[in-house]
Amino acid sequence: MKKIFIILTLSLFAVSYSQKKKEIFLFTSFREPATEGLYLAYSEDGYNWKGLEGSFLKPEIGASKIMRDPSITKGADGTYHMVWTTDWKGGNGFGYASSKDLIHWSKQEYIPVMKHEPEVVNVWAPEIFYDDVKKEYIIIWASTIPFRFEKGMEDEKNNHRMYYVTTKDFKTFSDTKLYYDPGFSVIDCVIVKKGKKDYVLVLKDNTRPMRNIEVAFGKSPLGPFEKRSKPLTEYLSEGPTVVKVGKNWLLYYDNYGSKNYKALRTSDFVKFEDVSSKIKLPEGHKHGTITTISEAVLKGLIEKK
């Protein structure tokens, strides 16, 4: 009887172990001049990335027909939701599409989140965050509305603040609201859930003398965010994204002043270590976000090419 129990236990363990499916990291990207659409890279360790050649979704909407800053997240139902910048200037919304396998996509939609602001200059770098507490998606982006805020040294058409909407189904959206106003031009924000009632906002100080990346802290994904850090990166850096690898977090960013990509490693978002020498990215990689995919999805992406 004891032998049978041991065999059954080992069998159950084997089944349980085999059901643990390996997750692969996936990095979204685009290539200048942003007319070709979605590029992808994958990694098994979060440091070394291999590009999947060619575009996986060509932009069809927006006046400029471009796709910049593709942000993607996996919903609770396994569907991937993506938003992107459709126009460098002149637009009042962002692009949206969804997919189960990152190959077959829904019809591209234009979401005019700033249509109520006739003077809006742009809608830049929308980012999706899934709030697992309220079971809804938060989409944040940067826009400039001339003469709305104190501009400091910034030109009125370059004085950004962060805005947001929420949605549960990407069909109906909340009213657009101001998300983050630190008192200066800010863009490229990313929400990170560090723990229960413990959130980090990664942001770019877009003022002319700074143009670097910082972090701030809050108890909710909607803020308020306080205790802003000193600059973490050098002058002329942008497009941050964050991924958890093991017990640490990696903060990737486009160090565009020096025309390279860099990464910082942290366990607490207070102390950071430069690990740029340990990463490898495809040539031409640009501002995107990181999610996870299954080995089956990766196999499909590779076979598509």
Side-chain angles (χ1 to χ4, degrees):
M1 192 73 176
K2 188 174 181 181
K3 183 183 289 186
I4 293 173
F5 175 77
I6 292 171
I7 292 172
L8 284 172
T9 302
L10 288 172
S11 298
L12 288 171
F13 174 78
V15 171
S16 176
Y17 182 80
S18 66
Q19 288 174 342
K20 290 182 180 179
K21 296 182 179 180
K22 184 178 180 181
E23 289 288 290
I24 309 295
F25 297 108
L26 186 83
F27 210 147
T28 64
S29 179
F30 70 97
R31 299 288 185 273
E32 296 289 8
T35 53
E36 291 301 308
L38 177 65
Y39 280 74
L40 299 171
Y42 68 95
S43 172
E44 294 189 13
D45 63 6
Y47 289 81
N48 296 284
W49 300 86
K50 185 173 182 179
L52 292 162
E53 294 305 315
S55 171
F56 284 83
L57 183 65
K58 293 199 173 185
E60 300 173 349
I61 56 173
S64 305
K65 299 291 190 297
I66 63 170
M67 179 184 288
R68 300 178 64 89
D69 324 313
S71 170
I72 195 167
T73 193
K74 183 165 58 176
D77 63 351
T79 300
Y80 293 93
H81 299 277
M82 185 173 71
V83 293
W84 65 90
T85 303
T86 61
D87 298 278
W88 183 250
K89 287 187 178 179
N92 63 11
F94 51 75
Y96 166 74
S98 64
S99 176
K100 287 285 188 181
D101 58 7
L102 303 173
I103 297 172
H104 304 94
W105 290 87
S106 66
K107 181 181 178 181
Q108 295 178 38
E109 298 178 49
Y110 185 79
I111 314 297
V113 288
M114 297 298 277
K115 65 181 179 180
H116 61 292
E117 295 285 359
E119 301 301 318
V120 68
V121 174
N122 55 358
V123 173
W124 275 2
E127 284 277 337
I128 302 180
F129 174 82
Y130 181 65
D131 182 355
D132 59 2
V133 177
K134 293 187 177 181
K135 310 299 181 186
E136 65 183 12
Y137 299 88
I138 301 169
I139 307 170
I140 61 176
W141 68 90
S143 284
T144 292
I145 304 172
F147 306 102
R148 181 64 56 85
F149 301 97
E150 289 292 329
K151 72 180 185 69
M153 63 186 68
E154 301 309 300
D155 182 272
E156 286 292 352
K157 292 187 176 182
N158 195 42
N159 192 24
H160 299 79
R161 295 299 186 275
M162 296 297 300
Y163 294 84
Y164 81 99
V165 292
T166 61
T167 182
K168 290 183 180 293
D169 56 12
F170 291 90
K171 295 178 182 178
T172 59
F173 297 84
S174 68
D175 291 338
T176 297
K177 295 180 181 179
L178 182 66
Y179 181 75
Y180 183 56
D181 173 18
F184 55 81
S185 182
V186 60
I187 66 172
D188 291 359
C189 288
V190 175
I191 307 167
V192 179
K193 183 174 184 178
K194 187 167 168 283
K196 187 177 181 181
K197 293 186 178 180
D198 187 3
Y199 294 83
V200 179
L201 186 69
V202 186
L203 62 116
K204 178 186 177 182
D205 179 340
N206 199 45
T207 55
R208 299 303 87 187
M210 301 301 286
R211 287 186 274 185
N212 47 35
I213 296 168
E214 305 171 356
V215 294
F217 303 90
K219 296 180 180 180
S220 158
L222 295 179
F225 291 97
E226 301 167 331
K227 296 181 180 179
R228 191 164 49 87
S229 72
K230 293 181 179 179
L232 306 176
T233 64
E234 61 190 84
Y235 180 59
L236 300 183
S237 52
E238 64 183 10
T241 191
V242 178
V243 61
K244 192 169 187 181
V245 180
K247 295 181 179 180
N248 293 310
W249 302 84
L250 295 181
L251 192 166
Y252 280 88
Y253 64 95
D254 186 347
N255 194 48
Y256 69 97
S258 299
K259 297 183 180 180
N260 56 31
Y261 235 81
K262 287 194 169 186
L264 301 173
R265 183 165 59 197
T266 182
S267 61
D268 56 10
F269 288 90
V270 176
K271 296 179 180 179
F272 291 84
E273 173 191 4
D274 189 331
V275 291
S276 302
S277 63
K278 300 179 185 295
I279 67 171
K280 184 178 181 181
L281 284 158
E283 185 176 354
H285 181 82
K286 297 289 291 182
H287 186 164
T289 55
I290 300 173
T291 185
T292 59
I293 57 174
S294 66
E295 289 182 297
V297 169
L298 176 60
K299 183 174 183 288
L301 292 172
I302 292 172
E303 290 178 350
K304 177 180 181 293
K305 297 301 176 184

